[in-house]
Amino acid sequence: MIDQQAPVRGGAPRLPVRPRTGRFLVLAAVFVCAACGLVYELEMVALASYLIGDSVTQASVVLSVMVFAMGIGSLLAKRLRTRAAVGFGLLEAGLALVGGSSALVLYATFAWLGESRYALVGFSLTIGILIGAEIPLLMTLIQRVDRQDAGGAVADLFAADYVGALVGGLAFPFLLLPMMGQLTGALFTGAVNAVAGLALVLWVFRHDLNPRSRWLLVAANAAVIALLATASVLVDDFERAARRAVYGDEVRVALRTDVQEIVLTGAARGSLDLYLDGRLRVSSRDEYRFHEALVHPAMKGAHRRVLILGGGDGLAAREVLRYPDVGSVVVVEVDPAVTRLARTDPALSGLNGHAHDDPRLTTVTGDAFTWLRGTHDHYDVVISDLPDPAVTASTKLYSAEFYGLVSGALEPGGRLVVHAGPPSVRPNTFWTVEASVRAGGLVTRPYRVGGRLTGFAAGPDRARAPRDWGFVLAARHAVGRLGMDPGAPALRTLGEGELLAGRRALERVRQQGVLPSTLVHPRYWDEP
């Protein structure tokens, strides 16, 4: 009987493992590489959504470019099939380096150049080409170890590939992201990718390599692993340097919660800027004008019971609690770390007047949409102090369905006020919010206030600041005249004349025929 592994004259060298074992090891490598590939995709989508915003657009760009590039990679892999083992080993080294370092480079381009879109497309294209070249080479290798029909080999490869993608897709949000973070998680994934590719080639296909190819593979993969390991050691220093480039030198608090990244800058008892996911949420330079304009027009009339959606920083609550006849204030904040910081940080708690220590205030941790669906309480005033409407994650909080829930929580004569974005630079966003409030069953009265000094984001974009804020005041039946309650406290600069002037200016440029945003049909928002 002739040994089925014996080399045939002019044929391939004998493999060091049995065919069944070799087939299993190839499929195991497919599993690991597929998991790593999906982690690279998810990591780029997640980081791009954080750095650039609009997660729907970023996911569409990454996925469509990568799928297109995978087709190109499959075609290019034809040239490597005659040397599939060494080609696969080098391919995985390149993929490990590019995929593992992608998060670092994307963050670096954002921090120091202020623009990461081109880097995102470049990485999506490169990683897609490398992933697309894997399957043709692995198809050649599995046929090398076990001469089965092509249909069976394809079925086995794709089964291992899909299961690996499932594991990678679950590992990213539930293991890598919470345990390592985006930067270290990507570096670790790259190292696993390099080890898997090198181990398969050296274990199963080492007889297919000449000494030069073997040393080339070992050297290339060792260099990649060493680079990724070095980067993981230095990642904390890199993050600090990038954070200084984005937020300046006075970063006092920087933490990543289950919801978002929170950064607090400024002196402990001086100027203060609060950033949530890289977007400026509060600046002590002009926040008083924003919160006075947000709160006080809505307080005209009954305001015994007040609901604040968002506003965990306590600044809207500060303005509400200046009314002595307010009986209770409920703040619904999705991130408990924000309210904890507002209560304990000296600068932020001083800015909000220690609002969280007032016995009239109750803080509830939860998503505003979900909380409204479950509450049966009614309020005289509802203040929507939520993230910017141009941020995709907050789209449902600016939908007609959301405002329908708010309408149900209002007393018959109650009022709602919504921060709708700056109408001067984001008119589509502003009038879409106004249309959505009307679609929720409320009568609206839009208004604006000038004097804004700060913009949307940190880093190089922070200089591009709009000069106004826009708001929508609404009620079930009639809003009434825009103005202040007779018992309103003295304000720093805001007056009724400015509110009325802002309203008249908006009515002159009102956009007609704007459609509301809904959960199933979110409307276009102006680019952040």
Side-chain angles (χ1 to χ4, degrees), residues 99-122:
S101 63
S102 58
L104 281 172
V105 177
L106 283 175
Y107 196 20
T109 56
F110 173 78
W112 282 284
L113 301 179
E115 176 59 74
S116 52
R117 288 180 175 86
Y118 298 113
L120 176 68
V121 173

Side-chain angles (χ1 to χ4, degrees), residues 286 288-290 292 449-451 484 490-498:
D286 58 7
Y288 64 92
R289 286 188 59 77
F290 170 81
E292 288 179 354
V449 170
M484 303 291 188
L491 306 183
R492 291 176 64 171
T493 59
L494 191 64
E496 288 192 6
E498 185 175 0

Side-chain angles (χ1 to χ4, degrees), residues 115-181:
E115 176 59 74
S116 52
R117 288 180 175 86
Y118 298 113
L120 176 68
V121 173
F123 274 109
S124 300
L125 187 64
T126 305
I127 293 174
I129 289 173
L130 295 174
I131 291 176
E134 287 178 329
I135 291 297
L137 297 181
L138 286 166
M139 181 69 178
T140 302
L141 294 177
I142 200 170
Q143 292 278 50
R144 168 85 173 82
V145 299
D146 189 7
R147 295 285 181 179
Q148 63 183 120
D149 65 282
V154 169
D156 290 342
L157 281 176
F158 280 110
D161 185 73
Y162 295 151
V163 174
L166 170 66
V167 172
L170 295 176
F172 176 73
F174 297 117
L175 291 176
L176 293 176
L177 201 57
M179 295 177 63
M180 299 182 181

Side-chain angles (χ1 to χ4, degrees), residues 485-510:
D485 191 83
L491 306 183
R492 291 176 64 171
T493 59
L494 191 64
E496 288 192 6
E498 185 175 0
L499 292 174
L500 293 173
R503 181 202 165 195
R504 288 193 292 268
L506 274 183
E507 290 297 341
R508 286 195 296 269
V509 296
R510 173 185 282 273

